Every structure is written in C-alpha cells, then in structure tokens.
Amino acid sequence: MKKDKWSSETGFILAAAGSAVGLGNIWKFPYIAGQNGGAVFIIMYFILLLLLGVPVLLSEMAIGRKTGKNPIDACRALHRKCGFIGGFGILGAFVILSYYCIIGGWIIKYLLMYMTGGVKDNSAALFERFTTGFSPVIYGIIFTLLCTLIVIKGISGGIEKISRLFMPALFVMMIVLIIKSLSLKGGGEGVKFFLLPDFTAIESAGDFLNILVSAMGQVFFSLSLGMGTLITYGAYLDRKTSLKKAAFYISLIDFVIAVLAGLMVLPAVFAYDIVPQAGSGMVFIAMPQVFAGLTGGNLFGIIFFLLVLFAAVTSAISLFEVLISFLIERFKLKRLASSVICSAAVTAVSVPVALSFGSLSNIRIMGMDLFEFMNFLSDKLLMPLGALGISVLCGYLWGTEEVSEEAGLKKSWDKKLYRSIIRYAAPVMIAVIFITSFIGL
Ligand code: TRP
C-alpha cells in the first residue's frame, strides 16, 4: 500500500504547528510566564526553544522521514534494541488523549453554551456542576468522534486540510480578541504582568533553576516532543522538504501564538480583577466572567471557545495519528478500521477519566485522581523518557552525522552545534527536569 503524503511543505508545517499549538500555548504559557518573571521567562523560553526544542524537533522529524515508519518500528529500524523508545511515545499519545479528549469535550460544551445564549450564572459553580456530572462523558465522545472523522480522511485529505483551514482562522480570531482585550480598562496591568521583567522572581540560584525547569518542561510540551508525534508526521514527508526550515517555522509559530495568547488572556483577566491561577479549569471559569462583563460578550465567547477548540483538535488529531499509523502498519489494518479501534480504545479509557471529577473521584492512584494520574504519567514520566530516548538514539546510536544529513544541516557550525546539544546538553537538561519534577526543588 502506498503511503499517503503531505501535499506540500506548507501543509506539513501547518499540520505540525497545529499539533504544537494547543492548550499548552493558550492557557498554560501566559500563566507560567507571568508567574516566572514575565519577560525574563519569555526570553529564557525563547532561548531554550532554539537550543533545546529545535534540535529535538529536528531529530524526531529526521527519524520519521528516514524510516517512513510508525514510532516503534522507526526507532527499531535505526537500532534493533530501541523500539521501546517509540513505545513510550505510543503509550504517551494514548495517555494524553485520554484526558485531552475530555478537555476537548468541555470546550465543545462551552462553545455550545455561548452559541445558545451564553453563561450567566456564577461561572465557578457552573463549571463545578458540569465537570462533576455525567455529561462530560458525552461531550468527550463528541470531541473524539470529531477527531476520528478527520483522521479517517487520512493525511493530505484530512489532517492537512483541517490544519490549513484552522491555523489561519485561529490566528485571525486571536487578533480580534487581542484588540478587544487590550482596549479594556485596566488591561494594561495584564500586559505589564506578562511582558515586564520582574527580577525579584529570581532571588537565588534555586529560583533561577526553578524557572529554567519550568521553561524546559513547557518547551517540550508545547512543541509536542517525546511522544512520537513528529516521527509519525515526518514519516509522511517527502525528501524535498528541508527539515531545518520546517523546524524553524514550527517553533516560530508555536512561540508567536504563545505570546499572542498572553496578550489575549491576561489583559482580560486583569481588567476583571481575576487572579491568574493555574489549571485547565481557569479557561472555563475566568473567561466566562470576562465575557459576562462585555457588550457583545457572547460573540467573543463563541470566538474564544471556537479558537480553543481549533487548537485542541489539531493537537488531538496528531496524537490519534500516532496510534493509527501504528495499527495500520503493524496489523495491516485499513485506515477506517484502525481509526475506529483507536477512538473506541481512547473512549474506553477517557470515560473513567471524565468521571474522576465526580462519581469516580474516590479512585486514587498514588494519591492522585485518574485525571491527575494520567497527567502525571504523560508529562512527568513518558514525555521526558521519550525525549531522552530520542536524544540518546540520535546522539549515540544512529549518529549525528546521519541525522544532520537527513535534516539538511550542511554548515559545519550547524552540525557541531547539533552534535553537542543532542549528545550532551539535551540529555542532561531532560534528566534535570525529570529529577526535579520528582523530588521538587
Ligand atoms: N503541544 C500541545 C499543546 O501545546 C499538546 C500536545 C499535542 C502534545 N501532542 C503532543 C504534547 C505530544 C506532548 C507530546 O497543547
């Protein structure tokens, strides 16, 4: 069977950027940046994105394109003992999907609420009532089905087409909301919180290390690294595309959207005296308060949740594709059959995760509820292990000369930089994230 391919370089870049741009950019980045010294964090994030994110991104795409296979077989093709590295990715994609689809379902629920009259009651109480009930199961399934319908259509006709449509739309909707947000009275405080360097956030070496570790974790999550996503997408790439150029654009888009998200969310949050707090719930609690106070708030609510939905869908389909490509290649299944199996499997796991806020909240694993446990598994365990595996595979086993050739690194300076990062800097930094996230600082 001939493998479906991206129809163009731009199509691939938009699809990969679609995978990268997700809840991580829109909610997590503005908040973490604000908490970690604003501009100081943003500069550090940018440097790490270039120094750490781009080389790992390049490595994953190179592994995918060189082998043309799913993550497990791709890693195994490069070194016979390394299939398990791709295995972390496949398991990780499955684990992320089990909760990403639930949050996707919440987004659909809110979008529908804004389309049918808006949120008028106390938004915190409403969120609590909704998430602890049974309906998130239904909305989660709707989100899963939506993604399944796209991936069934394949690479060029499904994922690429949707990304070409969604990514520019997301950008335009963001600009509309930024203009609105910046014009709010008191919104300037939010911009200050986000963009002015707050050096008091760094008082000791420990503070510095803390910020560094948050920035690194955010780089990995935001670029969708370590889970085989870019190996999978890279496998559908033709030889003409320059991986170096693609990596540059994907990271740039991801960064720009993250910064724009800060300019969109934080002025609004500050204008309405809402404290910027962590947690996915805040998108659903804080923003409705903002929209409630705006003339034409419902329309802005629709635009906002549509934008978040687009971002979430293009990320979720990249994770689905990791699983689907594996089933297609390993078990010689048709795309339709493997899409259906994947979405059924994800649904089976995501139902208890959806209920872990309410009726199943008493199920605890290592003190965490199911939702927290799935987050822990993916972010703290599988993602760092996957990324570490990728850098060891490329740095020591497959060989940096080969990767450089595949990635189109021609200048000796580029090659040397890549070599020292992937062999030394990346493994050390990933190990630091891994250790600190376990023992804390
Ligand atoms: N990058 C996405 C975000 O910012 C999330 C995501 C999608 C992801 N695919 C991934 C994270 C693979 C890690 C690995 O929301």
Side-chain angles (χ1 to χ4, degrees):
M1 190 169 53
K2 205 173 153 286
K3 220 171 150 116
D4 192 2
K5 294 246 184 249
W6 304 106
S7 73
S8 72
E9 186 176 89
T10 317
F12 164 71
I13 292 176
L14 286 178
S19 165
V21 173
L23 289 172
N25 304 56
I26 296 176
W27 191 254
K28 223 165 162 191
F29 183 84
Y31 157 75
I32 301 192
Q35 289 275 296
N36 286 291
V40 180
F41 179 89
I42 298 178
I43 294 166
M44 205 129 91
Y45 179 83
F46 187 68
I47 295 172
L48 285 170
L49 190 71
L50 292 180
L51 284 184
L52 193 63
V54 172
V56 179
L57 186 65
L58 267 180
S59 311
E60 285 204 25
M61 291 190 296
I63 294 175
R65 185 168 70 180
K66 177 76 189 175
T67 59
K69 292 183 182 352
N70 69 79
I72 292 189
D73 292 324
C75 294
R76 178 174 298 145
L78 295 172
H79 190 277
R80 67 189 162 80
K81 291 219 172 100
C82 285
F84 74 95
I85 297 174
F88 287 135
I90 294 194
L91 194 60
F94 187 70
V95 170
I96 298 189
L97 275 175
S98 74
Y99 61 84
Y100 219 85
C101 287
I102 296 308
I103 301 190
W106 294 354
I107 298 167
I108 292 180
K109 157 83 180 173
Y110 273 71
L111 178 61
L112 292 177
M113 278 199 296
Y114 277 101
M115 289 166 94
T116 54
V119 175
K120 289 184 195 73
D121 352 357
N122 176 331
S123 61
L126 178 110
F127 180 71
E128 170 80 19
R129 222 179 322 119
F130 166 61
T131 51
T132 52
F134 183 76
S135 60
V137 170
I138 311 289
Y139 289 102
I141 293 177
I142 296 176
F143 181 85
T144 307
L145 283 178
L146 185 66
C147 295
T148 312
L149 287 179
I150 299 169
V151 286
I152 281 177
K153 299 242 170 247
I155 300 302
S156 53
I159 297 180
E160 181 176 336
K161 248 198 195 139
I162 282 293
S163 308
R164 274 177 183 273
L165 185 76
F166 279 13
M167 291 306 284
L170 182 138
F171 186 77
V172 172
M173 288 191 282
M174 242 176 163
I175 299 293
V176 172
L177 289 180
I178 289 173
I179 294 173
K180 183 73 196 173
S181 200
L182 289 177
S183 65
L184 294 174
K185 215 168 120 249
E189 278 309 304
V191 179
K192 267 197 215 145
F193 174 78
F194 185 52
L195 291 182
L196 279 190
D198 171 15
F199 291 104
T200 57
I202 314 176
E203 276 182 338
S204 62
D207 289 343
F208 181 76
L209 201 60
N210 246 326
I211 298 180
L212 193 71
V213 169
S214 320
M216 284 193 289
Q218 177 66 13
V219 164
F220 280 106
F221 187 82
S222 194
L223 282 181
S224 306
L225 299 177
M227 300 296 202
T229 315
L230 289 141
I231 298 183
T232 305
Y233 275 14
Y236 301 112
L237 200 53
D238 62 30
R239 306 225 68 83
K240 288 193 297 278
T241 304
S242 153
L243 297 187
K244 187 177 154 186
K245 181 174 154 199
F248 174 78
Y249 279 110
I250 296 165
S251 321
L252 187 70
I253 296 174
D254 191 56
F255 180 73
V256 169
I257 298 279
V259 173
L260 290 180
L263 294 177
M264 169 175 82
V265 177
L266 289 172
V269 164
F270 272 75
Y272 286 89
D273 275 336
I274 299 163
V275 198
Q277 281 174 30
S280 47
M282 284 302 290
V283 172
F284 304 94
I285 297 170
M287 293 315 277
Q289 294 183 32
V290 172
F291 301 133
L294 285 181
T295 25
N298 274 0
L299 178 66
F300 291 108
I302 294 175
I303 300 178
F304 178 76
F305 282 104
L306 202 57
L307 173 162
V308 183
L309 180 65
F310 281 8
V313 166
T314 51
S315 295
I317 53 180
S318 74
L319 292 161
F320 268 111
E321 188 56 31
V322 172
L323 306 179
I324 289 170
S325 75
F326 174 69
L327 288 189
I328 292 180
E329 287 166 26
R330 250 319 156 82
F331 303 102
K332 306 270 175 286
L333 292 180
K334 290 253 165 15
R335 176 165 282 274
L336 177 67
S338 68
S339 307
V340 172
I341 294 175
C342 289
S343 78
V346 166
T347 303
V349 182
S350 69
V351 168
V353 173
L355 295 176
S356 70
F357 294 88
S359 51
L360 298 183
S361 61
N362 52 348
I363 299 182
R364 302 256 149 193
I365 306 174
M366 292 156 56
M368 293 173 263
D369 65 30
L370 271 176
F371 182 83
E372 289 164 342
F373 180 69
M374 289 299 190
N375 265 287
F376 164 82
L377 265 188
S378 64
D379 293 12
K380 302 272 188 315
L381 218 61
L382 295 165
M383 200 165 60
L385 285 177
L388 186 63
I390 298 291
S391 37
V392 172
L393 176 63
C394 287
Y396 296 93
L397 304 171
W398 180 21
T400 58
E401 271 303 313
E402 265 83 346
V403 190
S404 302
E405 165 135 14
E406 183 65 43
L409 301 179
K410 297 205 178 67
K411 295 191 207 98
S412 78
W413 193 84
D414 274 355
K415 287 193 210 168
K416 277 201 195 109
L417 188 63
Y418 174 76
R419 184 184 155 86
S420 34
I421 290 173
I422 218 70
R423 283 174 74 99
Y424 311 109
V428 169
M429 293 206 238
I430 297 166
V432 170
I433 307 183
F434 196 55
I435 295 166
T436 48
S437 67
F438 269 92
I439 57 170
L441 277 181

